[in-house]
């Protein structure tokens, strides 16, 4: 969904950084071989994630929802050389695809994949993080926030994707729409929680930046 007119959107992309060659390859192979390729962050949002990560220059990064590894490789661009990138996904069929691209990048040795339900994996991680990207099942966004907030260092950043959910956050809520319900709750939670400060950016499907105080 385009929240701004398509021509303006094209102009925005044309005047932003080019997509690195490895990510172009990853995108092509995702579209050829993997179901639901539209899930990957893509060129423009990827460059936004890369830029934010370079500004934060995090040591450790946590990602919830790896898919084929596109956003992981973008966020890794800003990670410190001594840092670790922990990313998780419940879909085991994606594991080898992710590893192939991680190992083609310069960050492969710093990226640790976790296979399984993020709700089970996060409590087991004995680490703290400077940057956390939430991009998995929308129903669990409030649960993910509650699980990660104590693992986020002061000054650290949470990036939350799809918070506008194609504009459904403005429509009357359908009783069986658990994703929109959870996102409405989540967006309010981020705004109200006194441990963080938050801005919601109308980038792509909505990307919120929250900073721990
Ligand atoms: C939107 S995709 C992630 C896209 C990726 N971050 C990117 O930008 O390229 C969401 C991913 O979350 C995973 N996922 C959904 N529910 C999950 C859960 N409970 N635990 C871990 N991963 C989950 C899905 O398998 C899917 O690959």
């Amino acid at each position: 969904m385009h929240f701004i007119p398509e021509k303006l959107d094209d102009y925005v992309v044309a005047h932003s950084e080019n997509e690195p060659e490895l990510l172009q390859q990853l995108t092509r192979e995702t579209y050829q071989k993997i179901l639901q390729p539209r899930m990957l962050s893509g060129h423009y949002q990827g460059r936004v994630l890369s830029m934010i990560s370079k500004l934060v220059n995090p040591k450790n990064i946590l990602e919830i929802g790896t898919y084929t590894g596109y956003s992981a490789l973008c966020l890794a661009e800003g990670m410190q050389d001594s840092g670790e990138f922990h990313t998780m996904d419940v879909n085991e069929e994606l594991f080898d695809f992710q590893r192939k691209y991680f190992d083609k990048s310069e960050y492969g040795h710093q990226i640790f994949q976790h296979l399984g339900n993020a709700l089970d994996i996060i409590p087991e991680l004995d680490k703290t993080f400077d940057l956390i990207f939430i991009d998995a099942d929308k129903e669990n966004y409030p649960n993910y926030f509650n699980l990660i907030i104590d693992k986020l260092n002061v000054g650290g950043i949470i990036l939350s994707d799809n918070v506008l959910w194609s504009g459904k956050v403005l429509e009357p809520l359908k009783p069986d729409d658990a994703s929109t319900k959870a996102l409405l709750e989540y967006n309010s939670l981020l705004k109200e929680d006194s441990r963080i400060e938050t801005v919601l950016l109308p980038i792509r499907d909505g990307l919120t930046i929250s900073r721990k105080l």
Side-chain angles (χ1 to χ4, degrees):
M1 175 168 185
H2 291 273
F3 288 114
I4 60 173
E6 202 164 337
K7 275 193 173 166
L8 205 50
D9 205 43
D10 291 344
Y11 184 88
V12 168
V13 174
H15 292 82
S16 298
E17 282 297 306
N18 293 331
E19 187 178 38
E21 172 58 31
L22 182 64
L23 294 174
Q24 293 180 30
Q25 275 179 34
L26 184 156
T27 300
R28 274 195 297 274
E29 198 174 339
T30 299
Y31 272 80
Q32 284 162 0
K33 299 185 178 162
I34 310 288
L35 291 173
Q36 295 182 281
R38 288 172 58 86
M39 290 218 288
L40 62 69
S41 280
H43 173 187
Y44 177 68
Q45 181 164 309
R47 291 306 87 206
V48 172
L49 295 176
S50 161
M51 180 65 85
I52 293 171
S53 185
K54 285 170 184 165
L55 291 169
V56 176
N57 189 218
K59 184 163 190 292
N60 294 338
I61 303 178
L62 174 68
E63 177 181 63
I64 309 173
T66 322
Y67 188 52
T68 53
Y70 191 101
S71 51
L73 289 174
C74 296
L75 292 166
E77 290 175 28
M79 178 171 56
Q80 295 176 22
D81 291 343
S82 61
E84 291 185 4
F85 194 113
H86 291 265
T87 184
M88 58 200 67
D89 205 290
V90 74
N91 184 349
E92 65 183 288
E93 289 173 15
L94 300 171
F95 195 88
D96 293 344
F97 187 107
Q98 297 159 1
R99 189 75 253 164
K100 180 171 104 174
Y101 278 92
F102 293 158
D103 286 343
K104 280 186 179 203
S105 79
E106 60 191 278
Y107 316 106
H109 62 291
Q110 290 171 274
I111 302 180
F112 299 87
Q113 296 159 277
H114 301 266
L115 179 60
N117 190 330
L119 294 174
D120 302 325
I121 295 167
I122 298 166
E124 300 295 319
L125 290 176
D126 188 17
K127 299 257 168 223
T128 60
F129 299 91
D130 300 308
L131 181 59
I132 299 178
F133 184 42
I134 303 182
D135 192 18
D137 51 327
K138 310 309 153 195
E139 290 92 326
N140 276 312
Y141 271 34
N143 295 329
Y144 294 142
F145 177 83
N146 289 322
L147 285 175
I148 56 148
I149 188 66
D150 290 335
K151 296 184 189 288
L152 181 67
N153 295 322
V154 170
I157 298 290
I158 303 169
L159 299 173
S160 311
D161 198 16
N162 306 109
V163 291
L164 296 177
W165 209 221
S166 305
K168 288 202 190 88
V169 289
L170 288 184
E171 294 169 8
L173 182 62
K174 297 189 179 118
D176 57 346
D177 186 351
S179 295
T180 306
K181 184 168 182 285
L183 283 169
L184 288 167
E185 181 193 333
Y186 184 67
N187 289 338
S188 300
L189 188 161
L190 292 184
K191 166 86 177 146
E192 300 303 330
D193 196 298
S194 58
R195 291 169 292 183
I196 52 170
E197 55 184 347
T198 284
V199 282
L200 195 165
L201 305 176
I203 287 175
R204 209 166 163 252
D205 196 23
L207 181 73
T208 300
I209 306 184
S210 308
R211 178 178 168 274
K212 188 160 174 184
L213 299 170

